[in-house]
Amino acid sequence: SQDNQKPWRVLVTGGSGMVGKGLQCVVKEMRGAKEGEEWLFLSSKDINLLNLENTREVFEKFQPTHVIHLAAMVGGLFMNMRQNLDFLRNNLTINDNVLLASHEIGVTKVVSCLSTCIFPHEAPFPLDESMILLGPPHDSNYGYAYAKRMVAVLNRGYYEQHGRRYTAVIPTNVFGPHDNFSLADGHVLSGLIHKTYIAKRDKTPLDVWGSGTPRRQFIYTVDLGRLLLWSLRDYDEIDPVILCGEESEVSIKEAAEAVKKAMDFDGEIVFDKSKAEGVFKKTASNAKLRKYLPDFKFTPFDQALKETCDWFVANYDSARK
Ligand code: NDP
C-alpha cells in the first residue's frame, strides 16, 4: 500500500496527548520513520480542529500525504455524564473537519482512533468490528460514542463516493506515560498508579474502588504507536480493526497488585465494595488483528506498567493529575 511516488508527509492530530506521545516515541526514538518522511505532531496550540477554516489553513500549509487523527475531546465517566452534548458536538465537528480537510487536499490515507467504549451496551462478548452500529451505546457516554461511531460511517462515505482509503483503529483502554493521572477523572490504571504513589508516600493502605473482580483489557501506548504505524502503512481495509493483545485482559485486583509491585509499595490493598465499579467485562476480540499480524509481540503487562510507573514518579510535578 506504500505510495512510492513521493516521500510521505504525515500529519498527526492530537500529537501532544498520551497516544500521540507513544506514537512519537515509535517514530522518533525507535526509528519508525522511513528515509525522507516528514512527521508533524500537532497540539491544540498548533491547530484548532473545531474550526474548519483553521484546520484547512494548517493542512494547506503542511500539505500532508497521510494523516493519523488522534485528537478528540476525551474525559472520564463523570465528565461524560455531565457533558454528553458537548462530547457529541465537539467530536462530530473535529472528526468532520479532519476528514473533509484531508479529502480536499488529497490526503491518500487517514487513520482515525476510535475506542472500545463506543460498542453497543448489550453486544455479546467478545466484541468484534462488525458490531459497532448494532445497538445503542451505554447511556453514560452516548455523546462520545455516537460521534466516534460516525467516523466509521464517514470513512465508508469517503470510500464509496470518492475512493478515499480512510480507516480507523479501535484500541481498548490505553495506558502509558503522559496519561491523565487525575484521581477524580482519570483512567483505571493511571488512577491506581497515582493512588499507590500517595499510599506509599503517606504510609496508608491502597484504597481500590469496587470488588476488584471486573476485568479490563489494556494496551500500552508504545504498542499502540507501533500498531498505528502498521495500520498507516499496511492495513488496507476501510472497516476498522480492534487493537489489543490476547493476554491483555486483567482483573482490577490483578492490576492493583501489578501496580503495587511496579511501585514497590509494601502496604495493604483494601477493596471498597460500596463503590460503583462499572460493567463486569467488555472483552474485545483481536482475531482480525491476529489474522494480519500473527507474530506481533505486545510488551509484557508488568514491564509496560513498570515503565509507566517509573515515568510518573520521575515526572510527578509536571504530570497531568
Ligand atoms: P489526550 O487527552 O491525552 O490527548 C488529546 C489530544 O487531542 C491532545 O493532543 C489535544 O491537544 C488534542 N486536542 C483536543 N481537542 C483539540 C482541538 N479542538 N483541536 C486540536 N487538538 C485538540 O487523549 P489520548 O491521547 O488518550 O487519546 C487520543 C485518542 O485515542 C482519542 O481519539 C481517544 O478517543 C482515543 N482513545 C483513547 C483511549 C484511552 O484509554 N486513553 C482508549 C481508546 C481510544 P492539547 O494537548 O493541546 O490539549
Side-chain angles (χ1 to χ4, degrees), residues 103-119:
H103 168 62
E104 286 173 347
I105 210 162
V107 169
T108 46
K109 177 116 173 228
V110 179
V111 176
S112 298
C113 196
L114 311 182
S115 160
T116 43
C117 68
I118 73 171
F119 276 99

Side-chain angles (χ1 to χ4, degrees), residues 19-316:
V19 177
K21 294 282 187 183
L23 182 62
Q24 283 199 41
C25 170
V26 172
V27 168
K28 295 177 179 167
E29 289 159 42
M30 296 164 75
R31 297 168 188 277
K34 290 190 177 164
E35 186 85 18
E37 257 173 31
E38 268 187 81
W39 285 74
L40 186 67
F41 291 86
L42 300 178
S43 78
S44 65
K45 293 188 193 74
D46 310 306
I47 189 167
N48 178 8
L49 297 171
L50 287 168
N51 180 304
L52 180 59
E53 286 321 307
N54 182 248
T55 303
R56 279 178 169 144
E57 263 168 47
V58 177
F59 274 60
E60 287 278 350
K61 200 166 155 210
F62 183 65
Q63 295 284 329
T65 57
H66 294 71
V67 170
I68 296 186
H69 172 39
L70 307 174
M73 179 184 182
V74 300
L77 176 68
F78 297 101
M79 191 179 160
N80 270 279
M81 282 163 54
R82 279 193 312 268
Q83 288 176 257
N84 263 299
L85 179 66
D86 295 341
F87 277 89
L88 178 67
R89 295 192 61 238
N90 290 343
N91 285 316
L92 282 173
T93 302
I94 288 173
N95 297 333
D96 192 44
N97 288 348
V98 167
L99 293 177
L100 181 63
S102 298
H103 168 62
E104 286 173 347
I105 210 162
V107 169
T108 46
K109 177 116 173 228
V110 179
V111 176
S112 298
C113 196
L114 311 182
S115 160
T116 43
C117 68
I118 73 171
F119 276 99
H121 178 43
E122 299 199 336
F125 298 116
L127 304 170
D128 73 49
E129 292 83 352
S130 69
M131 298 173 185
I132 302 178
L133 300 171
L134 294 185
H138 196 272
D139 280 337
S140 59
N141 70 338
Y142 70 87
Y144 176 86
Y146 277 120
K148 287 275 185 189
R149 286 177 180 199
M150 285 310 115
V151 172
V153 181
L154 284 164
N155 286 342
R156 175 182 168 179
Y158 277 108
Y159 178 68
E160 290 184 358
Q161 210 170 313
H162 300 293
R164 294 286 185 215
R165 304 205 78 86
Y166 297 169
T167 189
V169 296
I170 313 178
T172 54
N173 294 280
V174 186
F175 73 101
H178 305 278
D179 201 347
N180 180 353
F181 290 85
S182 157
L183 296 172
D185 234 5
H187 297 115
V188 193
L189 270 186
S190 51
L192 272 176
I193 292 169
H194 192 174
K195 275 188 181 178
T196 308
Y197 179 92
I198 292 169
K200 187 178 169 183
R201 185 191 63 195
D202 300 349
K203 301 192 169 45
T204 53
L206 168 59
D207 169 41
V208 180
W209 285 18
S211 64
T213 50
R215 304 180 68 76
R216 293 291 180 269
Q217 275 165 310
F218 297 100
I219 180 166
Y220 186 39
T221 45
V222 176
D223 293 335
L224 179 52
R226 290 160 64 210
L227 289 170
L228 280 166
L229 204 54
W230 162 76
S231 62
L232 188 71
R233 298 203 194 287
D234 297 313
Y235 179 66
D236 266 346
E237 291 186 37
I238 304 304
D239 284 339
V241 55
I242 293 171
L243 305 179
C244 69
E246 41 280 302
E247 264 118 57
S248 64
E249 194 173 56
V250 298
S251 70
I252 300 304
K253 182 162 187 268
E254 287 161 345
E257 275 157 7
V259 172
K260 176 176 164 163
K261 194 171 134 222
M263 294 285 281
D264 209 8
F265 167 64
D266 55 14
E268 191 191 351
I269 304 179
V270 181
F271 293 93
D272 182 352
K273 292 181 184 150
S274 70
K275 294 287 202 313
E277 58 185 9
V279 293
F280 175 63
K281 63 171 188 172
K282 30 186 175 184
T283 316
S285 163
N286 72 350
K288 185 174 185 179
L289 175 69
R290 280 304 184 200
K291 193 183 76 183
Y292 285 100
L293 290 177
D295 300 323
F296 184 87
K297 293 235 174 345
F298 287 87
T299 309
F301 184 61
D302 284 344
Q303 183 190 328
L305 201 55
K306 177 84 178 116
E307 289 173 14
T308 306
C309 292
D310 288 352
W311 182 88
F312 181 64
V313 173
N315 296 276
Y316 183 74

